[in-house]
Amino acid sequence: MHLTFFYDYSSPFAYLGSLGVEALAREHDAELHWHPFLLGALFKAIGTPMVPVAAMAPAKADLYKKDMLRWAAHREADFTFPSRFPMNTVKALRMTLQVEPSDVPRLSHALFRAYWSQDQDINDDAVLKGIADDLDLDGGALLAGTQNPEVKDRLRAHTDAAVAAGVPGAPSFLVRRSPDDSDGMLFWGQDRFELIGRALGGWRPDCG
């Protein structure tokens, strides 16, 4: 089985999902694919407000925020709502798309942690370079690469693929039997792990 994790660093729930997705894949012997994409561009494509919580009714927004903190406590996550929100994550995503696949998880974790735990500005060049350098990646080269037209196109392609897959937001998770399976099961939200686990085990309800 294959599990694709669609995420953007701008989402608190994607951060929380990132903390458990590897264990979920291991538990079900699934191959995990990390799929960064630009959430704002997806929202524009599908007609969703750029900052959904800002468009919610007050009662819903209050519970949304409390739910976020409850899940952070449940996952025992170091979590601090950042002083800069929303965050421009274009450069961070472009950096991620340049590294080797084996390095994507650890760079992604470091970027998520920097924003959602340490309140760092992950749109700042010095911050991004430092994060990459600390992982023994070439931060200067990765930062320079964010201006490469090919890298820019790569992020657009990743975002277009998320839209084509029906992704409504971040995080989303696609369960497939093979990489070319066109009839996978898509789940939205880091609180869907129980259903994702069942799908990885072969469960498929009539609704798909």
Side-chain angles (χ1 to χ4, degrees):
M1 300 294 285
H2 292 254
L3 176 62
T4 302
F5 171 41
F6 294 91
Y7 64 100
D8 184 344
Y9 302 114
S10 63
S11 165
F13 289 105
Y15 164 57
L16 296 174
S18 73
L19 299 176
V21 69
E22 289 166 303
L24 179 66
R26 283 195 303 270
E27 180 183 351
H28 297 279
D29 196 27
E31 185 172 322
L32 178 60
H33 307 271
W34 294 69
H35 191 108
F37 73 97
L38 186 58
L39 185 58
L42 179 136
F43 281 164
K44 184 177 180 179
I46 67 175
T48 294
M50 295 302 288
V51 184
V53 67
M56 293 178 183
K60 185 175 182 179
D62 288 344
L63 191 55
Y64 174 94
K65 294 171 184 175
K66 183 172 288 186
D67 198 43
M68 181 192 311
L69 297 174
R70 286 170 175 168
W71 273 106
H74 176 67
R75 294 201 185 279
E76 299 181 342
D78 291 326
F79 184 90
T80 301
F81 199 88
S83 56
R84 307 166 191 84
F85 182 84
M87 172 60 68
N88 184 332
T89 58
V90 170
K91 285 187 287 190
L93 292 165
R94 289 176 182 168
M95 287 179 68
T96 306
L97 288 172
Q98 295 176 69
V99 302
E100 293 295 326
S102 59
D103 289 323
V104 169
R106 63 194 189 102
L107 179 57
S108 297
H109 284 306
L111 288 164
F112 268 128
R113 187 166 55 249
Y115 185 45
W116 291 105
S117 174
Q118 301 164 354
D119 194 18
Q120 296 189 56
D121 182 354
I122 60 169
N123 188 41
D124 181 86
D125 289 358
V127 170
L128 290 171
K129 182 179 184 301
I131 290 171
D133 287 343
D134 286 346
L135 297 174
D136 293 324
L137 301 170
D138 190 338
L142 291 174
L143 198 58
T146 63
Q147 300 307 309
N148 185 319
E150 182 182 344
V151 175
K152 294 180 180 180
D153 288 344
R154 199 175 304 163
L155 179 56
R156 292 190 192 98
H158 267 237
T159 303
D160 289 346
V163 174
V167 168
S172 290
F173 306 86
L174 180 61
V175 176
R176 294 176 294 176
R177 296 187 179 278
S178 67
D180 57 356
D181 180 5
S182 61
D183 192 29
M185 293 178 65
L186 184 67
F187 299 88
W188 175 35
Q190 62 86 36
D191 54 349
R192 300 298 194 268
F193 277 17
E194 181 179 357
L195 295 179
I196 295 167
R198 290 195 64 188
L200 289 171
W203 171 75
R204 187 180 182 93
D206 291 341
C207 63

